[in-house]
């Protein structure tokens, strides 16, 4: 049945009563072979919800086909399509740029059946604002790198429900899709930048007219900020203005309890916490850190057991690490130590118990907890259960402190190596891999090789150029420290290079 067009502009659309949906009713299962595939006509309505079948995560291993990674196609050789790094690229030691696998999905969503014609499909014709190709690309490809559970992904089809409320969200999704499809190559960013400009303009209008609830605008704001470092050609833009604005808007959203869409609130808060943690090393000391007594601090404590696409059940841990990252940045910039905070942070990390049940999630949580301790000991100079600096504690204590740090680094890398390379949890490895990898010495040749391979696999999975910058940063750090003149930390080197690298 054809979906009827809606010949109204974005302003008229947002004045309609906002439908309330319950995301907990969303469920995805794999479709049977008899399910009709998604129409090849990119103008087909989104009501058709089964997608083209491609290889599952494991079925492509050891097989050859006409398609394959970008490197093999350029060399005109057959690719075995091992995901995320094919065997030929492994042997060559080159970066693999594969076509991410998709799954044939069948959605069972009561809200979609009831509201498809009324609220989802008509938005595809709002003043021509929707590019069906880019939206389909988002649903099939891009949204999959933004979730830990591809089969229950609230960033895929469920996000369509917000289109009729917030037109700016349409543009920012198309912006990110266009950039990701072109591997974020600067010479092919025209469409992405055009969509980004429209998203900024629409968001500004939404905020000025207050016709869109803040929670909807916050989602656009977060996506604009998070994608800043993906789209810019140098490691200098981490979305500072968006991050500071999102911090203020997030607290306003939490204070408006009566008007909250609980699922949307949870989605935006989790993204904000992760992004804040990933950017914490970029923030200048003058940027006000998040208060322990903020509404957000209370929210993450209360919601640690509720699953989130990015933070899983560990939102409170990422919130804690965001505060610690800002503290480390302050120390590197010459700020004074706060011994009370260090003691509290150390105890919280030592006592932290994972709420995860899945093995990859548990491993990642333990790795991030050890990553926090490594940050604390390396950048504050704190030794375990002590407020003294290693340089003041004598040579024996200094050696013990270095052994503790090295032990944490090797533990982190060992934990992360246990994650399968085709697991969605791989996308969250960049931060702890950088922190732990920076501790490897010239004798750790095999460990350094594994770090390079892991970061390369992460890039092949998500195509995010900052992952390659992390490799460059580590290579320069290793070369500098191997020379033996002076030893420098990865954060000190990043600041010296005037990089503002959003990690992860």
């Amino acid at each position: 049945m054809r979906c009827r067009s809606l010949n109204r502009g974005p302003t008229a659309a947002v004045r309609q009563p906002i439908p309330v949906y319950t995301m907990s009713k969303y469920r995805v299962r794999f479709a049977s072979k008899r399910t009709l595939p998604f129409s090849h006509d990119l103008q087909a309505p989104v009501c058709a919800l089964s997608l083209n079948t491609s290889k599952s995560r494991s079925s492509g291993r050891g097989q050859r086909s006409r398609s394959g990674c970008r490197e093999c196609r350029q060399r005109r050789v057959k690719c075995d399509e091992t995901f995320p790094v094919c065997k030929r690229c492994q042997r060559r030691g080159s970066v693999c740029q594969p076509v991410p696998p998709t799954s044939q999905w069948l959605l069972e969503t009561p809200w979609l059946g009831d509201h498809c014609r009324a609220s989802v499909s008509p938005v595809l014709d709002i003043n021509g604002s929707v590019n069906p190709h880019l939206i389909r690309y988002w649903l099939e490809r891009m949204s999959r790198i933004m979730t830990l559970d591809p089969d229950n992904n609230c960033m895929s089809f469920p996000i369509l429900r917000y289109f009729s409320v917030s037109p700016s969200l349409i543009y920012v999704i198309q912006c990110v899709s266009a950039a990701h499809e072109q591997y974020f190559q600067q010479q092919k960013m025209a469409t992405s930048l055009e969509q980004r400009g429209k998203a900024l303009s629409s968001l500004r209008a939404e905020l000025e007219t207050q016709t869109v609830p803040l929670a909807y605008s916050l989602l656009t704001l977060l996506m604009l900020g998070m994608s800043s470092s993906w789209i810019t050609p140098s490691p200098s833009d981490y979305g500072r203005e968006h991050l500071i604005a999102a911090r203020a808007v997030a607290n306003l959203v939490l204070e408006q309890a009566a008007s909250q869409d609980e699922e949307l609130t949870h989605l935006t808060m989790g993204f904000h916490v992760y992004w804040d943690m990933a950017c914490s090393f970029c923030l200048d000391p003058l940027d006000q850190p998040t208060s322990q007594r903020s509404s957000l601090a209370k929210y993450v404590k209360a919601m640690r057991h509720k699953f989130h696409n990015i933070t899983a059940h560990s939102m409170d841990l990422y919130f804690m690490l965001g505060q610690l990252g800002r503290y480390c940045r302050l120390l590197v910039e010459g700020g004074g130590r706060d011994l009370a905070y260090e003691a509290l942070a150390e105890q919280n990390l030592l006592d932290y118990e994972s709420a995860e049940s899945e093995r990859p999630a548990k491993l990642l949580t333990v790795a991030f907890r050890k990553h926090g301790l490594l940050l604390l000991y390396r950048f504050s100079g704190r030794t375990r259960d002590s407020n003294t600096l290693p340089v003041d504690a004598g040579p024996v204590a200094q050696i013990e402190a270095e052994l503790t740090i090295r032990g944490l680094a090797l533990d982190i890398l060992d934990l992360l190596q246990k994650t399968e390379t085709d697991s969605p949890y791989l996308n969250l490895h960049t931060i702890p891999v950088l922190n732990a990898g920076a501790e490897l010495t010239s004798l750790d040749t095999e460990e350094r090789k594994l770090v390079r391979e892991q970061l390369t696999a992460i890039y092949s999975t998500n195509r995010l150029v900052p992952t390659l910058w992390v490799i460059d940063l580590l290579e320069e750090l290793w070369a500098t420290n191997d020379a033996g003149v002076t030893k420098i930390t990865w954060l000190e080197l990043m600041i010296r290079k005037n990089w503002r690298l959003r990690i992860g």
Side-chain angles (χ1 to χ4, degrees):
M1 181 177 180
R2 177 172 295 182
C3 296
R4 188 161 46 89
S5 298
L6 180 66
N7 298 317
R8 285 180 288 188
T11 303
V14 299
R15 296 182 186 277
Q16 297 178 1
I18 298 170
V20 177
Y21 305 110
T22 305
M23 200 176 299
S24 59
K25 294 181 180 179
Y26 166 65
R27 186 161 70 92
V28 175
R29 64 179 173 83
F30 289 107
S32 67
K33 294 180 180 180
R34 292 174 299 182
T35 303
L36 293 174
F38 195 100
S39 171
H40 289 282
D41 179 7
L42 291 180
Q43 299 297 327
V46 179
C47 302
L49 293 176
S50 53
L51 303 182
N52 285 331
T53 304
S54 65
K55 295 178 180 61
S56 67
R57 291 183 180 277
S58 59
S59 63
R61 296 182 183 275
Q63 297 182 6
R64 298 177 184 271
S65 76
R66 296 177 182 177
S67 61
C69 77
R70 192 175 182 183
E71 182 79 5
C72 287
R73 290 201 305 271
Q74 289 178 344
R75 292 172 179 263
R76 298 184 179 181
V77 295
K78 292 182 178 179
C79 179
D80 60 31
E81 295 188 53
T82 301
F83 186 80
V85 182
C86 77
K87 292 177 181 177
R88 287 186 183 273
C89 285
Q90 290 179 33
R91 290 195 295 269
R92 288 190 295 259
S94 58
V95 173
C96 188
Q97 296 183 337
V99 176
T102 58
S103 301
Q104 187 174 2
W105 291 353
L106 183 65
L107 275 76
E108 297 175 353
T109 48
W111 65 265
L112 198 54
D114 295 340
H115 299 279
C116 183
R117 290 187 299 275
S119 63
V120 177
S121 295
V123 80
L124 295 178
D125 297 313
I126 293 181
N127 280 356
S129 60
V130 168
N131 181 319
H133 171 77
L134 295 178
I135 295 300
R136 176 180 172 180
Y137 186 88
W138 171 272
L139 298 174
E140 294 185 5
R141 305 288 188 188
M142 184 62 201
S143 65
R144 292 174 66 81
I145 76 166
M146 302 183 73
T147 183
L148 297 176
D149 187 357
D151 296 332
N152 186 17
N153 184 3
C154 64
M155 290 300 289
S156 185
F157 284 98
I159 207 170
L160 297 177
R161 71 186 68 179
Y162 305 130
F163 279 14
S164 60
V165 181
S166 176
S168 64
L169 184 61
I170 301 172
Y171 292 121
V172 73
I173 281 179
Q174 293 177 168
C175 161
V176 176
S177 292
H180 186 269
E181 187 177 26
Q182 299 300 329
Y183 289 88
F184 299 95
Q185 297 179 77
Q186 290 303 309
Q187 67 272 25
K188 298 182 178 180
M189 295 287 281
T191 300
S192 176
L193 294 177
E194 178 187 4
Q195 294 295 318
R196 192 174 187 83
K198 292 179 179 179
L200 287 166
S201 178
S202 296
L203 178 62
R204 189 178 300 113
E206 291 173 12
L207 293 174
E208 289 176 352
T209 59
Q210 299 183 8
T211 52
V212 175
L214 275 178
Y216 292 80
S217 298
L218 177 59
L219 182 55
T220 300
L221 185 60
L222 290 169
M223 292 187 62
L224 281 169
M226 291 170 68
S227 60
S228 294
S229 60
W230 307 345
I231 293 173
T232 50
S234 64
S236 59
D237 185 358
Y238 61 94
R240 175 181 176 274
E241 295 81 4
H242 295 96
L243 179 63
I244 294 174
R247 186 184 300 161
V249 175
N251 279 302
L252 287 174
V253 169
L254 290 175
E255 290 168 5
Q256 298 174 354
S259 60
Q260 281 186 23
D261 176 331
E262 291 184 7
E263 298 298 338
L264 178 59
T265 298
H266 191 65
L267 174 63
T268 54
M269 295 307 148
F271 272 105
H272 174 60
V273 166
Y274 178 79
W275 179 36
D276 180 72
M277 183 269 295
C279 294
S280 59
F281 308 103
C282 304
L283 291 169
D284 294 324
L286 294 178
D287 291 323
Q288 182 67 29
T290 303
S291 168
Q292 288 275 10
R293 298 181 179 86
S294 68
S295 300
L296 184 58
K298 297 175 183 176
Y299 181 86
V300 299
K301 184 177 181 180
M303 293 294 176
R304 73 179 299 250
H305 292 287
K306 185 174 181 180
F307 179 80
H308 186 275
N309 270 40
I310 292 294
T311 61
H313 301 93
S314 304
M315 191 184 298
D316 56 336
L317 177 60
Y318 291 115
F319 181 80
M320 190 190 315
L321 294 173
Q323 293 177 314
L324 182 57
R326 287 190 291 273
Y327 179 70
C328 292
R329 174 61 190 264
L330 179 66
L331 291 177
V332 170
E333 293 281 17
R337 293 180 64 190
D338 183 340
L339 298 182
Y341 168 74
E342 290 178 13
L344 177 63
E346 180 185 40
Q347 197 59 52
N348 286 340
L349 288 167
L350 290 172
D351 294 343
Y352 187 83
E353 294 184 3
S354 174
E356 306 293 353
S357 57
E358 299 292 331
R359 185 172 184 271
K362 276 184 172 292
L363 293 173
L364 187 65
T365 300
V366 176
F368 265 103
R369 184 180 65 80
K370 290 178 178 286
H371 154 73
L373 289 169
L374 176 54
L375 284 176
L376 181 64
Y377 297 151
R378 171 56 71 202
F379 291 103
S380 73
R382 180 184 180 85
T383 57
R384 184 162 181 171
D385 302 321
S386 171
N387 291 331
T388 60
L389 287 166
V391 294
D392 301 328
V396 175
Q398 291 181 46
I399 292 174
E400 290 179 349
E402 288 299 318
L403 287 175
T404 298
I405 289 174
R406 178 171 173 79
L408 286 168
L410 294 178
D411 284 349
I412 292 167
L413 295 176
D414 180 62
L415 286 164
L416 297 179
Q417 285 293 326
K418 294 176 181 177
T419 301
E420 296 292 333
T421 55
D422 60 356
S423 167
Y425 285 88
L426 184 72
N427 274 329
L428 299 187
H429 284 195
T430 311
I431 296 174
V433 166
L434 168 59
N435 191 32
E439 300 295 333
L440 298 177
T441 69
S442 58
L443 300 177
D444 301 315
T445 53
E446 185 62 27
E447 288 78 6
R448 286 184 177 181
K449 178 184 176 183
L450 290 173
V451 166
R452 293 186 189 99
E453 291 176 352
Q454 190 165 19
L455 290 170
T456 301
I458 294 171
Y459 171 75
S460 296
T461 302
N462 59 32
R463 304 185 184 181
L464 301 184
V465 178
T467 308
L468 300 180
W469 293 333
V470 168
I471 298 176
D472 293 340
L473 186 70
L474 277 175
E475 295 288 3
E476 185 173 345
L477 178 77
W478 289 335
T480 301
N481 289 339
D482 289 351
V485 179
T486 57
K487 186 172 182 179
I488 188 173
T489 66
W490 65 266
L491 183 52
E492 290 169 329
L493 178 60
M494 189 178 80
I495 295 172
R496 180 186 297 179
K497 292 169 66 67
N498 198 30
W499 280 14
R500 295 296 182 268
L501 186 57
R502 187 187 80 80
I503 310 161

